[in-house]
Amino acid sequence: PGGLTTREKDWYPFVMTFNDVTGFRRYTDNDNLSLTVMYNFPAFSMKNGCSMLYDVDSPYYNSFYGAYIVQDSSGKPYGFRADNGSLKLDLQSVSIIPQYDFQNLVLSDFGLNSSDMVFNWNITDCESDIPYLDYDGWTLVDADLIVNGSAHNKKGVVQSYLQYGSPSYETQNEFSPIQMKGRIYSRYFEEYNCSIFFYIITNDTTTLEKCDKEILSLSVISKK
């Protein structure tokens, strides 16, 4: 993702990168996998001194966009299966990535117990072999999701607060599950030996489409 900004108060101006090997391998029980997460989150509220990620009244509440890059050292195309000479998206293995990211890398750090975690998605649209970012062969999946919200009362020392700020919105319903919209563009790049998944998870269709059109679709894929 290009880390673009718009004129509106919406997203943080920089894309973050997190490389995960041990955690994702343990989660998937596959020692051949490595995961890179590129992500962005809602902008800071100057009034509240923290990201709108925590603000239940913001259209950017609980929202993220970015890209996942998964490599399999065995040479298998993660997230895809062979089907009559072509690759078809494996929805189950794809769904594991945002679930792992949201629950294990975000919410657990905020203090949510694993027994209280919710992540359900219902596919509303799936289109194969579409063009995106100057490449053919992407698969687009749109989904309705029910996931835990990020709203919670400030804890003690939390590493994630260095990024998002500590929450200043008091709530009586910490991590209450909410309905959201999700979008994933998926493609396996044989020349890079990796699967790339561009994603958006946000509150409503309008915000999702705006993020896709004005930011995500302007991303550039290149090998340094």
Side-chain angles (χ1 to χ4, degrees):
L4 300 174
T5 58
T6 65
R7 293 180 180 273
E8 298 180 28
K9 191 74 170 178
D10 45 23
W11 301 98
Y12 192 70
F14 304 108
V15 173
M16 308 292 185
T17 300
F18 177 74
N19 295 309
D20 184 293
V21 176
T22 304
F24 192 60
R25 287 179 176 179
R26 184 167 54 244
Y27 188 79
T28 58
D29 195 26
N30 187 336
D31 288 338
N32 296 318
L33 300 181
S34 62
L35 170 67
T36 296
V37 182
M38 303 178 69
Y39 63 100
N40 205 344
F41 52 88
F44 274 66
S45 164
M46 299 305 294
K47 175 182 177 182
N48 296 92
C50 61
S51 170
M52 294 184 293
L53 178 72
Y54 306 120
D55 184 2
V56 295
D57 295 321
S58 168
Y60 295 92
Y61 173 59
N62 217 38
S63 299
F64 290 91
Y65 78 82
Y68 302 116
I69 303 171
V70 181
Q71 289 186 297
D72 188 326
S73 60
S74 70
K76 296 179 181 179
Y78 182 85
F80 297 85
R81 54 182 171 78
D83 184 17
N84 294 324
S86 62
L87 293 177
K88 299 294 183 182
L89 196 67
D90 179 359
L91 291 172
Q92 175 60 32
S93 59
V94 172
S95 69
I96 287 173
I97 312 172
Q99 181 172 1
Y100 169 75
D101 178 21
F102 203 57
Q103 293 185 342
N104 289 58
L105 302 182
V106 180
L107 295 176
S108 63
D109 197 43
F110 289 159
L112 178 62
N113 294 323
S114 58
S115 59
D116 296 323
M117 290 180 176
V118 176
F119 191 99
N120 298 316
W121 74 337
N122 177 47
I123 306 300
T124 58
D125 187 32
C126 184
E127 301 178 42
S128 301
D129 199 23
I130 65 171
Y132 194 66
L133 305 179
D134 295 327
Y135 289 89
D136 293 326
W138 292 89
T139 299
L140 165 65
V141 173
D142 281 338
D144 290 331
L145 300 97
I146 298 178
V147 300
N148 298 95
S150 297
H152 66 282
N153 297 313
K154 181 180 177 180
K155 310 299 182 185
V157 178
V158 176
Q159 185 174 359
S160 292
Y161 291 170
L162 297 176
Q163 297 181 82
Y164 312 122
S166 57
S168 60
Y169 307 92
E170 292 189 4
T171 177
Q172 300 298 317
N173 300 298
E174 291 189 304
F175 307 115
S176 179
I178 61 170
Q179 184 156 350
M180 301 192 73
K181 300 290 184 179
R183 172 169 293 175
I184 297 182
Y185 291 95
S186 307
R187 190 182 190 277
Y188 176 67
F189 286 79
E190 186 175 4
E191 62 270 38
Y192 302 144
N193 185 32
C194 70
S195 300
I196 299 180
F197 307 92
F198 283 91
Y199 69 91
I200 306 168
I201 177 172
T202 190
N203 270 319
D204 56 56
T205 302
T206 299
T207 305
L208 185 149
E209 295 291 353
K210 178 179 171 63
C211 179
D212 193 351
K213 180 180 179 180
E214 297 185 2
I215 301 179
L216 203 66
S217 65
L218 302 181
S219 301
V220 175
I221 297 174
S222 64
K223 186 174 183 180
K224 294 182 179 180

